[in-house]
Amino acid sequence: VQLQASGGGLVQAGGSLRLSCAASGRTFSSYVMGWFRQAPGKEREFVAAMSVSGGITYYGDSVKGRFTISRDNAKNTVSLQMNSLKPEDTANYYCAARRGATYYRASVDPETYDYWGQGTLVTVSS
């Protein structure tokens, strides 16, 4: 599967952005989808993940209550709604796909993901 992320940009602190990730292929609905981010000089960080059906979601502690992941299997898309953005949310955001069950430890580990999008830059100004 090929992934294409979009929606990044420059926003002031407290603002909102919605990232989207479009997937090619007919098997999108069989993949767990995740969002990760990486700021300059830092390791890749788990942001959110969603099960194939959308019934299970996980969030990183730093984004809980502010970010929401969603997916539309009919349109082969996964989105990340980001509200109450903070300067520390500034990073390149990547969508990723993996097969397998939606266990927490697997879903938050970038090493378990099989496919990655190219990243979209989010910059939050103070």
Side-chain angles (χ1 to χ4, degrees), residues 9-18 66-67 81-87 89 122-126:
L10 174 64
V11 64
Q12 287 190 332
S16 299
L17 275 178
R18 185 176 182 86
R66 300 188 298 122
F67 291 11
Q81 178 66 42
M82 306 186 296
N83 298 328
S84 302
L85 283 161
K86 305 175 181 180
D89 294 319
V122 172
T123 303
V124 184
S125 63
S126 57

Side-chain angles (χ1 to χ4, degrees), residues 33-35 48-50 57 59 67-71 78-81:
M33 297 302 299
W35 285 96
M50 176 169 271
T57 56
Y59 294 94
F67 291 11
T68 303
I69 187 173
S70 60
R71 68 188 295 164
V78 60
S79 298
L80 185 70
Q81 178 66 42

Side-chain angles (χ1 to χ4, degrees), residues 13-54:
S16 299
L17 275 178
R18 185 176 182 86
L19 305 183
S20 294
C21 178
S24 63
R26 294 177 292 176
T27 59
F28 173 79
S29 60
S30 65
Y31 288 92
V32 173
M33 297 302 299
W35 285 96
F36 291 80
R37 67 186 182 186
Q38 189 165 19
K42 295 189 176 181
E43 293 186 352
R44 191 161 293 192
E45 177 189 8
F46 169 73
V47 175
M50 176 169 271
S51 63
V52 296
S53 67

